[in-house]
Amino acid sequence: MSERFDGRVAIVTGAASGMGRAIAMHFAAAGAKVLAADINDIGGNQTVDAILAAGGTAMFQRTDVADAASVSSMVAGAVSTYGRLDCAVNAAAIEGESVPLADLDDDLFDRVQSVNVRSVYLSMKHQIRAMIAAGNGGAIVNFASTSSVRPQHHQSAYTASKFAVLGLTKSAAIDYAALGIRINAICPGAIDTPMLRNAMERRGREEADVIKRLSLVNRFGSVDEIAKAALWLCSDESSFTVGHALAVDGGYLAR
């Protein structure tokens, strides 16, 4: 993608590692001022340190994305520090189940919905308000999943949360497109992240077997490939793309 983000401000949640970290770093490399948000202080500060070392502009703000006051403070922090908000990528998410629905722990179900769904609702609520107040439009990208389209075994809570993210994305896109705020989603497939590796270890899955089942290109996706997709959805190059769920999945959903 050739577009630069000079002068623009971006919030990235889940920025302490994996896809969120890569997105924050790509935004900064393209000239954006970045607020990296995460509940993980160590990882979040490492992301910002890497951006600063590369000559970019970034700050870390510890954020519990399931807490309304924390999310409100996150958005206010970006606006007060950098003067505006142009882009937001809501990438924070968890999973952790490995049992069928009837054996699922109730507290785990509630936690997955809180971090994966409530966080997107809260983040969009405050991000949209900031964009409306500025009057310049904006772009928001929410992280759904290929599980939003094709559920996996033993992932009832995670699947429900990612279906909900798509619903929130499409509904909000309809509400705010006329105000110049474009809202879309990314559906990552098997991307090589700590979360994927932990899930494989927990379920006793071998890398070759997972790749064979989830990818047509005989490898995992990279976090950089996801970051490039997120930046494209936030760029003027995707100006006619609204309410879309972009699969970045090595062809998995094409089967």
Side-chain angles (χ1 to χ4, degrees):
M1 192 186 72
S2 60
E3 183 170 330
R4 295 281 300 173
F5 286 80
D6 298 288
R8 285 189 256 185
V9 176
I11 288 174
V12 182
T13 72
S17 66
M19 292 181 280
R21 172 176 285 179
I23 292 163
M25 294 183 69
H26 275 255
F27 263 126
K33 299 173 183 177
V34 178
L35 186 147
D38 206 289
I39 202 166
N40 179 346
D41 298 85
I42 294 175
N45 280 304
Q46 288 173 342
T47 297
V48 168
D49 288 345
I51 290 172
L52 297 178
T57 301
M59 61 178 285
F60 171 68
Q61 183 158 335
R62 187 181 190 279
T63 306
D64 179 351
V65 291
D67 179 79
S70 188
V71 171
S72 176
S73 178
M74 171 188 76
V75 175
V79 174
S80 64
T81 301
Y82 298 130
R84 57 190 292 162
L85 177 63
D86 302 283
C87 308
V89 179
N90 299 314
I94 60 168
E95 65 93 44
E97 59 194 304
S98 56
V99 296
L101 185 146
D103 299 322
L104 185 61
D105 179 77
D106 294 345
D107 290 339
L108 176 58
F109 180 88
D110 290 344
R111 174 162 168 71
V112 170
Q113 306 318 307
S114 184
V115 175
N116 292 5
V117 184
R118 178 176 168 82
S119 70
V120 171
Y121 155 70
L122 290 172
S123 294
M124 282 202 295
K125 178 178 181 177
H126 293 284
Q127 292 156 0
I128 289 167
R129 286 178 174 178
M131 291 173 179
I132 291 173
N136 299 314
I140 297 174
V141 176
N142 298 320
F143 265 54
S145 169
T146 52
S147 292
S148 302
V149 180
R150 182 179 297 171
Q152 300 288 322
H153 289 289
H154 298 170
Q155 289 191 345
S156 297
Y158 182 78
T159 298
S161 75
K162 292 304 184 178
F163 265 75
V165 168
L166 276 191
L168 285 170
T169 299
K170 291 176 181 291
S171 181
I174 292 169
D175 286 343
Y176 295 102
L179 295 179
I181 300 173
R182 295 186 304 105
I183 304 173
N184 293 286
I186 289 179
C187 296
I191 309 301
D192 197 354
T193 63
M195 190 164 119
L196 174 64
R197 294 289 179 177
N198 290 338
M200 288 167 53
E201 182 177 356
R202 190 169 58 253
R203 295 181 174 93
R205 303 277 174 80
E206 295 295 327
E207 179 175 321
D209 294 336
V210 175
I211 290 174
K212 182 178 181 180
R213 184 167 58 87
L214 299 181
S215 173
L216 295 184
V217 297
N218 299 316
R219 64 174 177 85
F220 290 139
S222 73
V223 294
D224 289 330
E225 288 169 317
I226 295 294
K228 291 173 184 177
L231 264 65
W232 179 77
L233 286 172
C234 288
S235 76
D236 294 338
E237 294 181 7
S238 65
S239 58
F240 203 57
T241 304
V242 180
H244 180 61
L246 177 62
V248 186
D249 66 348
Y252 168 66
L253 292 179
R255 290 184 190 271

